[in-house]
Amino acid sequence: DCPAHFPLRNYQASMEAAGLSVSLAGHRPLSRAQSSPASASFPMVVQEPPAKPRFTTGLVYDSLMQKHQCMCGNSTSHPEHAGRIQSIWSRLQETGLRVHCECIRGRKASLEELQTVHSEAHVLLYGTNPLSALPLHWGGRGGLIKSGCVFVCVCWQVDSDTIWNEVHSSSAARLAVGSVVELVFKVASGELKNGFAVVRPPGHHAEESTPMGFCYFNSVAIAAKLLQQRLNVSKILIVDWDVHHGNGTQQAFYADPSVLYLSLHRYDDGNFFPGSGAPDEVGSGAGVGFNVNMAFTGGLEPPMGDAEYLAAFRTVVMPIANEFAPDVVLVSSGFDAVDGHAPPLGGYKLTAKCLGYLTRQLMGLAGGRLVLALEGGHDLTAICDASEACVSALLGNELDPIPDEVLQQRPNANAVHSMEKVTETHSKYWRSLQRSASTLGCSLSEALQREAEEAETVSAMASLSVANKHIGKRSEEEPMEEEGPM
């Protein structure tokens, strides 16, 4: 009963766990969590030993990461803004989820830690903020200028969408990395059950020597490298469900067979940012087969949604993940595939609840050692709903059952074609894909029904085999009749 040979059975078990019928809290307004009023008296402080951390879900967040923002202050012009993490943190507070989690303190990553993934020149430029070395193509500072009928930002930028605050950005970027590393190590060492890092700026687009796509340092990749170096973790799975491909993470581990990078993203034949992440980008050298791009192609007619992502997890992600059998699972948890993101920043129709189901499935790997780190996602309602769903799943709360219409819905033709490409490319590396390929076009309910019927057939054949062996054994034990005289 090797997990690699029974992907649907494993998938069914994980979905049953994800489909229990206690509701997730619905959407709540993005109000700020209010501080308690100051006490008028000053009671004597009694020193007590610090409480032992609970074995529960860990959360990490620091308001100093909000200071990384453009001087123009226009969040419309800059979708990766401070309100993202502030709103998520408030939502986790007002829903009561934070009470059940262990909140840990983040820290700034050291320059040496950053250099596990990035070049020394890159680390010195963006990690120590030497103003004299700023790239010459930066726009300068000043705020917004009017061009025709629109306002154009002319603040410091390293590219068309990645801004730089000369006072706070280097500290915020290093704090994001260090916070992810701290949480990952507490989970990997068994101090916490799992965790969610509410951090910014994001990281999965940052390459060895290039910042891009709002990213400066690749937090998840750095955490994985440090797990290898300091804890000797032998097998790490990185799942990236941001709607954009994590080109930086792919680059960091492209030749490394001990890190399986598995990305689900909008690709559209290379016409969606960043243009990388084709199905045939499978790794190099010893890492061939350990870079899996579940690259959705076909645009937005129709857009991918719950049925397509559940099918991709059922037929590609979970079979390979179970066969790989990781020791730790890290998720580049971008939420921009969730409904609410306009086509330039997403365009898909995934629901927040579906991400809860996907999180619950990943919790079945690596003894539950799972950490989600925030990447993209810019619609505040969508990312708050998604964060709530994922943290609720991490805590082990019962989730709403998958709606019947999603259970019965087959993935659209573009998604099936995309999954066929991945399966055809990687079936030579992962035997489990050969089994799951037969249900690529099935709805979830059809796939589970087929698995149940197949299990009954296998059980019946096994029973028949046992019965035949028993009959044969009895025949051997019965004495032969002596033949009479001729």
Side-chain angles (χ1 to χ4, degrees), residues 202-458:
H204 72 150
H205 292 310
E207 297 184 347
E208 180 185 19
S209 301
T210 308
M212 60 183 289
F214 312 132
C215 304
Y216 293 95
F217 302 120
N218 196 321
S219 302
V220 168
I222 293 168
K225 289 280 190 180
L226 292 172
L227 282 177
Q228 293 176 317
Q229 295 176 7
R230 296 178 182 175
L231 293 184
N232 296 315
V233 176
S234 59
K235 290 195 292 183
I236 301 168
L237 169 63
I238 298 177
V239 175
D240 189 336
W241 61 42
D242 191 289
V243 78
H244 304 94
H245 178 246
N247 52 291
T249 312
Q250 173 173 291
Q251 181 193 70
F253 302 106
Y254 205 60
D256 187 349
S258 65
V259 177
L260 170 61
Y261 178 63
L262 209 162
S263 176
L264 303 92
H265 54 272
R266 183 178 171 189
Y267 177 60
D268 291 352
D269 295 318
N271 293 311
F272 191 71
F273 181 87
S276 58
D280 59 1
E281 295 171 11
V282 298
S284 63
V288 169
F290 292 90
N291 194 86
V292 183
N293 285 314
M294 180 55 254
F296 289 115
T297 289
L300 303 176
E301 298 180 359
M304 306 300 167
D306 289 4
E308 288 71 38
Y309 273 72
L310 288 169
F313 252 63
R314 173 175 56 80
T315 60
V316 176
V317 176
M318 294 309 295
I320 293 177
N322 277 301
E323 189 172 346
F324 180 64
D327 300 308
V328 176
V329 181
L330 308 179
V331 180
S332 278
S333 186
F335 294 140
D336 38 15
V338 177
D339 191 12
H341 291 85
L345 290 174
Y348 282 0
K349 299 294 183 181
L350 194 65
T351 67
K353 287 184 178 181
C354 186
L355 285 173
Y357 307 144
L358 304 187
T359 299
R360 182 60 55 83
Q361 291 178 64
L362 294 177
M363 289 168 65
L365 302 167
R369 292 180 290 275
L370 170 67
V371 174
L372 279 59
L374 182 66
E375 295 281 4
H378 313 288
D379 179 86
L380 296 186
T381 300
I383 65 175
C384 288
D385 289 347
S387 298
E388 182 182 342
C390 290
V391 172
S392 187
L394 289 172
L395 283 167
N397 295 341
E398 297 182 20
L399 308 180
D400 286 341
I402 299 174
D404 287 341
E405 59 269 23
V406 176
L407 282 172
Q408 304 297 331
Q409 183 180 354
R410 293 179 176 176
N412 66 53
N414 289 331
V416 173
H417 180 64
S418 300
M419 289 186 286
E420 287 173 343
K421 280 189 175 181
V422 179
T423 301
E424 180 181 356
T425 300
H426 279 277
S427 59
K428 62 179 72 117
Y429 310 118
W430 304 99
R431 290 189 302 165
S432 54
L433 292 183
Q434 299 170 11
R435 182 179 177 89
S436 63
S438 63
T439 63
L440 287 175
C442 294
S443 68
L444 179 55
S445 61
E446 289 172 336
L448 296 180
Q449 177 62 33
R450 184 178 297 187
E451 170 69 9
E453 292 172 353
E454 186 173 322
E456 289 180 4
T457 301
V458 171

Side-chain angles (χ1 to χ4, degrees), residues 124-172:
L124 291 175
L125 180 59
Y126 298 106
T128 63
N129 195 17
L131 297 181
S132 61
L134 293 177
L136 295 177
H137 67 271
W138 285 22
R141 48 184 161 165
L144 297 175
I145 62 172
K146 194 166 186 179
S147 175
C149 296
V150 298
F151 286 92
V152 180
C153 179
V154 291
C155 296
W156 292 113
Q157 293 180 252
V158 300
D159 62 22
S160 60
D161 57 17
T162 307
I163 60 94
W164 183 259
N165 181 303
E166 60 210 41
V167 178
H168 300 294
S169 289
S170 62
S171 294

Side-chain angles (χ1 to χ4, degrees), residues 39-46:
S39 174
S41 60
F42 298 89
M44 181 176 64
V45 177
V46 178

Side-chain angles (χ1 to χ4, degrees), residues 48-54 102:
E48 294 183 358
K52 185 178 180 180
R54 296 169 291 166
E102 187 73 32

